Amino acid sequence: MAILTAPGLAAGIAHAAPGAPAAPGAPAAPAAPAPEPGAKSLEQVRKEIEDLYRQAGAATDAYNLAEAEVKAQSEKIVAIANLVVAGQERITALKSRAGAAARAQYRSGGLPAGAKLALSEDPGQFLDGAGRLRQGEKAASDLLTELDRTQNDLKRYAQDASAHWATLEANRVKQEDAKNQIEQKIKTAEELENKLEAEEKARLIQLEQEAQYKAQTAWLSTGAMKDVNGAATEAGKRAVQYATAQMGKPYVWGAEGPKAFDCSGLTSQAWLAAGRTIPRTSQEQLRLLPKVALKDMRPGDLIIYFDDASHVAMYVGDGAMVHAPRPGRNVTMAGAGSMPIKAVVRPDA
């Protein structure tokens, strides 16, 4: 089995070592300008940018979870509103029935049915009337019981709606806080990157790839892929096909396609295309989907990264995964071990 040894199926990026001697007869390369005292190295800038985007990724997960909760609470409130409408209609009908009974008694002169029976001289009429009286009394009792129960239901619906509104508002606050954090982290990272010259930006990408290659190589050297040879299920094949077809599309936080994705937007939509609904966020995917051992990993499984489960990718086989990396980058293929793996979960266990 061919094992991916570097991100993007590359074997690494060659570059001249700093301070390498020039070829014989070649003019000496100009000396690199000395860095200003206290200036950050490009590697330090890369790590700072990477950390900011990771923090933005964690905040994106919080935003997506809050958004899902807002949607769920909104749906519950709509369902309660429908129950309230039905309950009010039921009360109206019950009161109409009670009013009809009261009008019938009024038309009879207001004399209770029991009194009429007591004055009856016909024993048969008395007995027949007594049976109907008991039926009428039970019907009246049932009517009052149902009316009382329906009114109690409406009170409970009002309490439930109030609780759901409180949860809805709390999640809206969480969503707004997460949005502000995301935008601030991305803005700071972009400002750092925009200060770089064109050559430095190119070198920054090179450093990113080198870091991924180093991590992937170290991961493979542990023998992590030695026994990994699981075959994809039919659903897994469809999920992989969807995810890889999105390569080249940009990362946009909170996006679920079709033109852009964030990391968990890509994985959740890929499995939706395969006929499975899974949680929207990487943290919820970790929490709710069955975990599998790394040696049992198969294409279509999701790899959760970092201790805070702030990133997720889809394993596609041969030591590779496909993912939406971060703002400023596109959906791409990389080494499955190019970031610290927290767990592997299976949507179609």
Side-chain angles (χ1 to χ4, degrees):
M1 175 175 65
I3 301 297
L4 184 68
T5 57
L9 302 175
I13 298 176
H15 59 281
E36 295 179 11
K40 296 178 182 176
S41 70
L42 194 57
E43 175 61 13
Q44 288 175 317
V45 173
R46 181 193 71 78
K47 289 182 177 179
E48 189 172 346
I49 290 173
E50 183 181 271
D51 187 55
L52 284 165
Y53 279 126
R54 272 204 56 214
Q55 292 175 44
T60 298
D61 226 32
Y63 175 91
N64 290 335
L65 181 59
E67 184 177 46
E69 286 296 321
V70 165
K71 182 180 178 183
Q73 296 302 324
S74 297
E75 289 172 351
K76 288 176 182 177
I77 289 170
V78 170
I80 289 172
N82 291 333
L83 289 173
V84 168
V85 170
Q88 289 173 334
E89 290 175 349
R90 184 64 179 154
I91 285 178
T92 299
L94 292 170
K95 287 182 175 179
S96 178
R97 284 168 53 191
R103 288 191 296 273
Q105 183 174 344
Y106 177 79
R107 286 194 296 271
S108 68
L111 190 63
K116 287 185 178 182
L117 286 175
L119 297 174
S120 174
E121 296 179 356
D122 184 341
Q125 182 183 0
F126 179 86
L127 292 174
D128 181 58
R132 279 182 288 163
L133 177 61
R134 284 193 295 272
Q135 291 175 356
E137 288 173 343
K138 184 177 184 307
S141 176
D142 289 347
L143 177 65
L144 292 174
T145 299
E146 188 172 357
L147 182 60
D148 185 57
R149 182 173 61 246
T150 305
Q151 289 174 328
N152 287 334
D153 284 345
L154 288 178
K155 290 179 182 178
R156 189 179 72 254
Y157 296 154
Q159 292 171 347
D160 289 346
S162 178
H164 286 304
W165 270 114
T167 303
L168 177 67
E169 289 306 310
N171 279 306
R172 281 177 175 159
V173 170
K174 289 180 184 177
Q175 193 176 16
E176 188 61 28
D177 288 345
K179 179 182 177 182
N180 291 337
Q181 287 185 45
I182 294 164
E183 291 176 342
Q184 183 57 50
K185 299 296 182 185
I186 291 176
K187 180 182 178 183
T188 303
E190 288 175 343
E191 287 174 350
L192 279 172
E193 201 160 357
N194 289 337
K195 290 177 182 177
L196 302 176
E197 301 293 338
E199 289 183 2
E200 290 177 315
K201 288 181 180 179
R203 176 63 180 147
L204 183 68
I205 294 174
Q206 185 179 4
L207 288 173
E208 287 178 6
Q209 293 173 332
E210 288 174 351
Q212 291 170 4
Y213 171 70
K214 182 178 179 181
Q216 174 77 351
T217 303
W219 181 65
L220 292 174
S221 69
T222 66
M225 290 296 298
K226 179 182 176 183
D227 299 318
V228 179
N229 55 13
T233 60
E234 288 304 313
K237 290 177 183 177
R238 292 194 297 271
V240 168
Q241 183 178 19
Y242 179 95
T244 54
Q246 312 313 310
M247 289 174 61
K249 293 183 179 180
Y251 177 107
V252 173
W253 71 266
E256 300 178 85
K259 295 181 179 180
F261 296 87
D262 62 20
C263 66
S264 56
L266 177 65
T267 54
S268 59
Q269 287 300 305
W271 272 102
L272 184 62
R276 302 267 178 159
T277 300
I278 66 171
R280 170 64 177 88
T281 71
S282 57
Q283 292 174 349
E284 289 296 280
Q285 288 168 3
L286 172 65
R287 187 172 73 87
L288 298 174
L289 296 178
K291 297 178 181 63
V292 297
L294 185 65
K295 66 181 179 62
D296 298 323
M297 185 167 61
R298 67 191 186 200
D301 287 347
L302 306 183
I303 306 175
I304 309 295
Y305 292 99
F306 304 111
D307 287 341
D308 59 0
S310 57
H311 192 69
V312 61
M314 179 176 291
Y315 182 64
V316 296
D318 291 340
M321 56 82 164
V322 63
H323 70 147
R326 66 164 177 84
R329 300 291 182 262
N330 297 332
V331 176
T332 189
M333 195 174 290
S338 56
M339 293 176 286
I341 296 174
K342 182 176 180 66
V344 178
V345 296
R346 178 162 294 166
D348 62 338

